[in-house]
Amino acid sequence: MSFPTRLQTAAGQVAGRLDAALATLPPSAVREAMGYALRGGKGLRGYLVLESAALHGVARDHALTAAAAIEAMHAYSLVHDDLPAMDDDDLRRGQPTVHLAWDEATAILAGDALQALAFELVCLPGQPNGAQMALTLARAAGAAGMVLGQALDIAAETAAQPLTLEEITALQAGKTGALFEWACTAGPRMAGADPAPLARYAAAMGLAFQIADDILDTEGDASTAGKRLRKDAEAGKATFVSLLGLDAARERAETLIDTACAALEPYGDGAQSLRDAARFVISRDR
């Protein structure tokens, strides 16, 4: 089975778990907006949870719940990032953003509810190491992780000088990398094993993912990507491509994927699916 097919299959299974969770909520515009925000996307973070869990012998049912949690957290971040006060985007995953499909208040509440759902899922009775999973998810998503990265990104729009390579690397380690690390280390954390090898894998892959995004924004002509690129250029914001150049950025991303794959050596052939995921990160079209 090809990697895209495996990824699509896993995404469908995680979506089913999320649909079941949403079905327990009272009908409302917020619930509808939550479901809308969860549609589409490749489900890569959820896939990483499932594969890291399988690598450590975690039951599939528990893994699916944790995978649903990270996809809910990621969806919350996208809903809020798209708001006019943030990135002010009109499209997400090929459809109007939540604040346009409904309104800003509903988008904010839907994002809040998706974040709460993520924590609810990892803390469900029977979930392995629920307290540790919730603690690490809070740290990954909060003011030392994803939220910090977004704050640094917003600040860069009005900074007197464009970010340096070191600064933009630190920014993306929070904005993108923190949730990738949680996803990749979910398996060993649920199993009570050492998360260090998969944390190293995640750090390299998460940075490669963002470099690939910058390359796609530079080369692509999709409306959302083009709008973001123009906005960044007008604000004088640096990207990996603007700092390194297109060819060097591609080379950096490929080197990072080699580093990510090397981190998987302790797992041998059992980690092939994670190697495939790493290579997918720099070969995807969005």
Side-chain angles (χ1 to χ4, degrees):
M1 185 185 297
S2 68
F3 177 78
T5 300
R6 281 181 280 146
L7 181 62
Q8 184 177 29
T9 299
Q13 293 171 345
V14 174
R17 183 56 53 93
L18 286 163
D19 286 344
L22 292 182
T24 67
L25 301 175
S28 67
V30 169
R31 188 181 76 171
E32 292 177 11
M34 292 168 70
Y36 181 88
L38 289 165
R39 289 182 204 161
K42 291 184 170 63
L44 180 59
R45 291 159 186 81
Y47 180 86
L48 293 170
V49 171
L50 295 178
E51 293 304 315
S52 74
L55 201 55
H56 291 83
V58 176
R60 184 72 171 185
D61 187 62
H62 293 151
L64 278 169
T65 298
I70 196 62
E71 289 297 334
M73 185 66 78
H74 179 53
Y76 132 71
S77 74
L78 299 181
V79 172
H80 281 198
D81 285 0
D82 288 339
L83 289 166
M86 298 279 196
D87 292 344
D88 192 18
D89 280 326
D90 299 334
L91 290 174
R92 171 68 66 179
R93 296 173 171 172
Q95 61 185 9
T97 46
V98 175
H99 68 274
L100 292 181
W102 277 268
D103 51 55
E104 289 183 39
T106 302
I108 292 168
L109 292 173
D112 291 345
L114 284 164
Q115 183 190 58
L117 177 61
F119 287 111
E120 179 182 350
L121 288 167
V122 295
C123 293
L124 284 173
Q127 277 297 112
N129 289 329
Q132 177 70 9
M133 295 294 284
L135 174 64
T136 52
L137 183 57
R139 288 174 174 167
M146 180 182 67
V147 168
L148 174 61
Q150 177 69 355
L152 293 172
D153 195 30
I154 292 170
E157 295 178 6
T158 56
Q161 298 293 331
L163 297 182
T164 64
L165 184 60
E166 181 179 354
E167 289 169 335
I168 199 170
T169 299
L171 182 160
Q172 296 300 346
K175 185 173 181 179
T176 301
L179 291 192
F180 267 115
E181 180 175 347
W182 190 90
C184 292
T185 58
R189 291 190 192 282
M190 285 190 283
D194 181 12
L198 285 177
R200 290 192 291 272
Y201 164 84
M205 188 183 68
L207 188 55
F209 182 96
Q210 187 55 51
I211 294 174
D213 260 7
D214 285 356
I215 292 170
L216 287 168
D217 283 352
T218 300
E219 295 183 324
D221 58 2
S223 59
T224 300
K227 178 179 178 181
R228 186 178 301 115
L229 194 63
R230 289 191 301 273
K231 182 179 177 182
D232 288 351
E234 290 166 2
K237 282 178 62 176
T239 67
F240 288 106
V241 172
S242 69
L243 291 170
L244 295 171
L246 193 57
D247 290 342
R250 284 200 187 93
E251 184 177 346
R252 176 69 64 91
E254 290 169 359
T255 299
L256 285 164
I257 293 306
D258 289 342
T259 299
C261 290
L264 297 172
E265 288 179 4
Y267 302 108
D269 293 341
Q272 186 56 46
S273 63
L274 291 175
R275 294 185 184 92
D276 293 342
R279 296 188 181 100
F280 167 78
V281 157
I282 58 171
S283 65
R284 63 200 164 91
D285 56 8
R286 176 42 66 190

